[in-house]
Amino acid sequence: MQETLMLGENELVSHVIFGWDPLWVSSILFVTTYALIVSEKVNRAIVAGLGAGLMVALGVLNQETAISGIDFNTLGLLAGMMVIVAITRGSGIFQYVAVWSAKKVDASPWGILFMLSLVTALFSSLLDNVTTVLLIAPVTLLISHELKIDPYPFLFAEIIASNIGGTATLIGDPPNIMIGSAVNLSFNDFLFNLAPIVPVILAVMLGIIYLVWGRSMHATAEARKRIMHFKERDAITDVRLLKQSLLVLALVISGFVLAHPLQLEPATIAMFGAALLLFLSNLKNNAEEQSKEVEKTFGNVEWTTIFFFIGLFIAVKGIEEAGVLRILAQLVIDSTDGDLAVTALAILWISAVASAVVDNIPFVATMIPVIKSMAPTFGGAEYLMPLWWSLALGACLGGNGSLVGASANLIVAGFAERAGHRIGFMKFMLMAFPMMLLSMVIASVYVYLRYL
Amino acid sequence: MNLEQVLIPTRVATAGMTVRELFEECSRANSPGLPFSDDNGRIAGRITLKNILKSVCLPDYLVEMVRILGEQPSSLQDMEDQVKQILNNPVDPYIQEPHLSITSGSSVVKAMALMEQSDTSYIFVVDEERYLGVVTIHNLASKLVHLDKPS
């Protein structure tokens, strides 16, 4: 049996089995997919893949429409940056910078916490947050062990800093990549619109951490001396690779900045950078060694995340084509009386609270078409910018609200637990959630003053 | 040469065996670990020196950051204290999944191939759930050096 859906100017023929209503079928499929992702009982890539497969198998989407829902710019940017980071981290540069920064403050405990937080925020704005904390957490645990200080305040500060730093740029956090790709926002757009508020929020958060823990942090002169004896130079395992990586990273960042004049998409720049770094780092290898190295590098790409995105994009396309998201958008507009300021602030706060408790990636994937469909209400796509910045700020900063708010938070908690320092869910949330709300207050003022 | 000629008979670890006893037995037999036998006498796992030492004094972050350590970091000095504290504790918390095993009738080459496949330097010899001993690369090499000498 067939059912025809009228979707705006396009007429798409849907073949939902048994003639079921595509609106309901897609909604049930999507909610079930979402619930399973949130439950974390089944790997999220498997869940998204099954959800996407069923959207097509049950006839909500045909294969062509399903494929058109996949944002290859997001995937290309993610995969390209993953390859670049996978190769670059092998040079040891990130550990070098972390240890160097700790020594720059004469190994004073608060100084180290401050510097490692800054380094985390900086790295997070250029790398993905999970990679950043994977690089910073071991340095932190080693330093706190040497200083004989509880690592909790350090790790807490780094979690907060990673989510704040990731907010600043197009490539800092997956929600920004998704928003940038969907709305065709450049690296510079994010830099000009989100980066200015990031240092303010980070400073306030670090101020609070100083008042709570920083003032009472002390280490013996002997312990500090041990840190000063660290040999950060030894962290650099391959000077040649280091130079190649830094060159390519610089080219890629420059490419992002100049993307519009160059008329290049971020994904093209990232993928080209990845290919160039693979080429340079394998120059000295013969064919067999190259195959091994390339395979090893691709093994470090987070394919789970890539396939999760693919499944998710198709699942979201399913509810979009079935008209669910238009209904959702209308509900949001009705509840805010079509007021842009109220809608922007509502999106900011709802995104933050939602991102504190569930994965922000599916949330943002769902919100993007919802916001897009609000364009006619607010007079056109160009008037939606406050909503996009609100979504980005809320989704990225909201990750600080709880231990499950961002993958990076869980990575740090796992690392700490294996080292015998458990980070309790409630202990973290009691401090982090109010701090996240405070960052939302700052973000609200920023969005209101700048855009509304 | 067959497996029985190169295997080293050892004790099996059982519930309640102390870390000290396991260290002593492994040192005596020059084996990286011992099979763990449950109450019914079945091989239910293994306990290795490497896993005990890693669990006790080698946190992930230390392994990750080892290159930058200075000459005398406290993390390494703590090692002796940490091991001292667990010597008289039971080995039970360090049980891992059962290790590679082979029957005594198998060839030495098969044992070597299995070790290579699993990237390990030792293999337990077990006949119908009866543990006979361990074959290690070291022991194999110590037998091989005598091959060119008259028997």
Side-chain angles (χ1 to χ4, degrees):
Chain A
M1 292 179 77
Q2 291 188 356
E3 181 152 342
T4 303
L5 285 176
M6 297 296 291
L7 295 163
E9 292 172 3
N10 303 317
E11 185 178 298
L12 291 173
V13 178
S14 174
H15 302 271
V16 178
I17 58 162
F18 308 131
W20 289 340
D21 186 348
L23 196 82
W24 282 106
V25 173
S26 64
S27 300
I28 291 168
L29 272 179
F30 188 78
V31 170
T32 310
T33 304
Y34 213 104
L36 281 170
I37 291 170
V38 172
S39 75
E40 294 180 355
K41 298 281 182 207
V42 187
N43 180 282
R44 61 185 189 161
I46 299 174
V47 176
L50 284 174
L54 284 172
M55 284 282 184
V56 178
L58 296 183
V60 176
L61 296 170
N62 59 35
Q63 182 169 310
E64 201 181 325
T65 319
I67 298 290
S68 74
I70 301 171
D71 183 350
F72 286 97
N73 195 38
T74 295
L75 298 183
L77 182 50
L78 274 172
M81 290 309 292
M82 283 174 186
V83 169
I84 293 171
V85 171
I87 298 174
T88 306
R89 66 184 289 188
S91 70
I93 179 65
F94 301 116
Q95 280 99 340
Y96 173 89
V97 175
V99 176
W100 173 85
S101 67
K103 288 172 75 170
K104 275 286 152 195
V105 288
D106 287 333
S108 88
W110 166 250
I112 291 175
L113 186 149
F114 182 80
M115 290 299 274
L116 287 182
S117 300
L118 284 190
V119 168
T120 304
L122 180 69
F123 284 174
S124 284
S125 66
L126 300 174
L127 320 172
D128 72 280
N129 295 356
V130 169
T131 304
T132 302
V133 297
L134 272 175
L135 296 164
I136 297 293
V139 183
T140 307
L141 286 163
L142 181 64
I143 287 175
S144 61
H145 179 88
E146 296 290 14
L147 291 177
K148 308 281 181 206
I149 289 182
D150 180 8
Y152 183 73
F154 293 84
L155 298 171
F156 182 92
E158 285 158 15
I159 288 175
I160 300 287
S162 76
N163 290 315
I164 294 174
T167 312
T169 67
L170 169 71
I171 54 172
D173 214 352
N176 287 3
I177 297 178
M178 295 160 78
I179 294 167
S181 180
V183 196
N184 200 22
L185 297 172
S186 68
F187 188 81
N188 295 349
D189 289 329
F190 278 87
L191 217 53
F192 294 140
N193 288 282
L194 294 189
I197 192 62
V198 161
V200 178
I201 295 173
L202 185 61
V204 172
M205 297 300 118
L206 285 175
I208 294 170
I209 290 168
Y210 176 75
L211 292 174
V212 176
W213 291 299
R215 288 182 299 179
S216 53
M217 280 180 164
H218 297 293
T220 62
E222 191 192 343
R224 288 171 64 172
K225 209 169 147 188
R226 281 197 292 266
I227 305 295
M228 297 308 288
H229 281 159
F230 277 177
K231 295 176 174 173
E232 67 273 23
R233 181 67 185 73
D234 290 353
I236 305 291
T237 49
D238 189 337
V239 176
R240 190 164 176 265
L241 181 65
L242 171 68
K243 288 176 185 168
Q244 292 164 342
S245 302
L246 290 181
L247 171 73
V248 171
L249 261 182
L251 284 175
V252 167
I253 302 293
S254 307
F256 287 146
V257 173
L258 300 169
H260 268 263
L262 294 172
Q263 292 189 314
L264 291 173
E265 290 292 333
T268 313
I269 297 164
M271 292 300 272
F272 180 68
L276 180 63
L277 188 52
L278 277 169
F279 171 72
L280 292 174
S281 61
N282 280 291
L283 272 178
K284 63 180 192 310
N285 295 334
N286 61 34
E288 195 183 335
E289 288 167 339
Q290 282 180 27
S291 300
K292 274 187 187 168
E293 279 302 309
V294 171
E295 231 168 82
K296 193 176 131 194
T297 304
F298 285 159
N300 286 324
V301 170
E302 292 163 46
W303 294 108
T304 308
T305 304
I306 301 286
F307 278 95
F308 172 56
F309 268 97
I310 293 173
L312 196 63
F313 282 136
I314 295 173
V316 171
K317 187 70 177 173
I319 51 168
E320 186 185 355
E321 291 293 313
V324 179
L325 295 182
R326 268 181 298 157
I327 295 170
L328 207 60
Q330 196 54 50
L331 277 174
V332 175
I333 291 165
D334 289 347
S335 61
T336 59
D337 289 331
D339 185 305
L340 184 65
V342 179
T343 309
L345 294 177
I347 288 173
L348 179 74
W349 284 83
I350 291 169
S351 307
V353 174
S355 298
V357 287
V358 297
D359 193 336
N360 59 13
I361 293 170
F363 180 80
V364 171
T366 314
M367 285 302 290
I368 285 172
V370 170
I371 292 177
K372 271 188 170 175
S373 63
M374 291 178 184
T377 307
F378 294 115
E382 65 272 27
Y383 294 101
L384 295 179
M385 290 320 296
L387 307 188
W388 294 121
W389 300 131
S390 297
L391 178 63
L393 283 166
C396 295
L397 296 173
N400 275 335
S402 79
L403 210 49
V404 296
S407 306
N409 308 7
L410 290 169
I411 295 285
V412 174
F415 228 104
E417 187 153 7
R418 286 197 299 279
H421 303 281
R422 192 172 171 273
I423 298 180
F425 183 85
M426 284 312 290
K427 183 185 175 187
F428 180 85
M429 197 165 171
L430 279 173
M431 177 88 176
F433 197 78
M435 284 175 70
M436 183 275 285
L437 293 181
L438 178 60
S439 70
M440 279 303 102
V441 171
I442 299 169
S444 300
V445 172
Y446 177 73
V447 168
Y448 188 80
L449 291 179
R450 185 156 177 190
Y451 303 109
L452 300 171
Chain B
M1 188 187 296
N2 59 43
L3 272 185
E4 283 180 358
Q5 288 175 288
V6 288
L7 77 79
I8 313 160
T10 71
R11 288 173 63 184
V12 290
T14 50
M17 182 184 201
T18 64
V19 171
R20 181 192 302 278
E21 288 171 313
L22 183 117
F23 276 23
E24 285 170 351
E25 179 64 1
C26 287
S27 306
R28 182 196 65 75
N30 204 14
S31 172
L34 297 180
F36 177 82
S37 165
D38 64 15
D39 294 341
N40 300 320
R42 282 180 312 197
I43 303 298
R46 64 171 158 156
I47 302 174
T48 65
L49 298 175
K50 190 178 170 189
N51 184 46
I52 294 178
L53 289 172
K54 184 179 182 308
S55 305
V56 175
C57 49
L58 284 182
D60 292 348
Y61 65 84
L62 187 59
V63 176
E64 186 99 359
M65 298 303 301
V66 66
R67 283 177 171 275
I68 60 131
L69 289 174
E71 275 75 23
Q72 287 197 321
S74 65
S75 315
L76 293 179
Q77 288 169 343
D78 289 350
M79 178 189 169
E80 288 168 22
D81 289 338
Q82 287 163 336
V83 174
K84 224 184 281 176
Q85 283 172 20
I86 59 130
L87 275 179
N88 294 318
N89 292 355
V91 292
D92 307 32
Y94 307 106
I95 301 169
Q96 293 175 276
E97 74 285 0
H99 187 58
L100 198 61
S101 65
I102 191 169
T103 55
S104 61
S106 305
S107 66
V108 173
V109 167
K110 183 178 176 183
M112 285 168 61
L114 281 171
M115 285 191 270
E116 180 65 25
Q117 194 183 54
S118 302
D119 195 20
T120 180
S121 61
Y122 69 105
I123 187 167
F124 295 139
V125 182
V126 180
D127 278 349
E128 292 173 359
E129 305 224 343
R130 193 168 60 91
Y131 171 71
L132 300 176
V134 62
V135 172
T136 68
I137 290 286
H138 292 90
N139 196 42
L140 196 56
S142 72
K143 303 282 181 197
L144 292 173
V145 293
H146 299 296
L147 280 180
D148 60 350
K149 292 176 185 167
S151 54

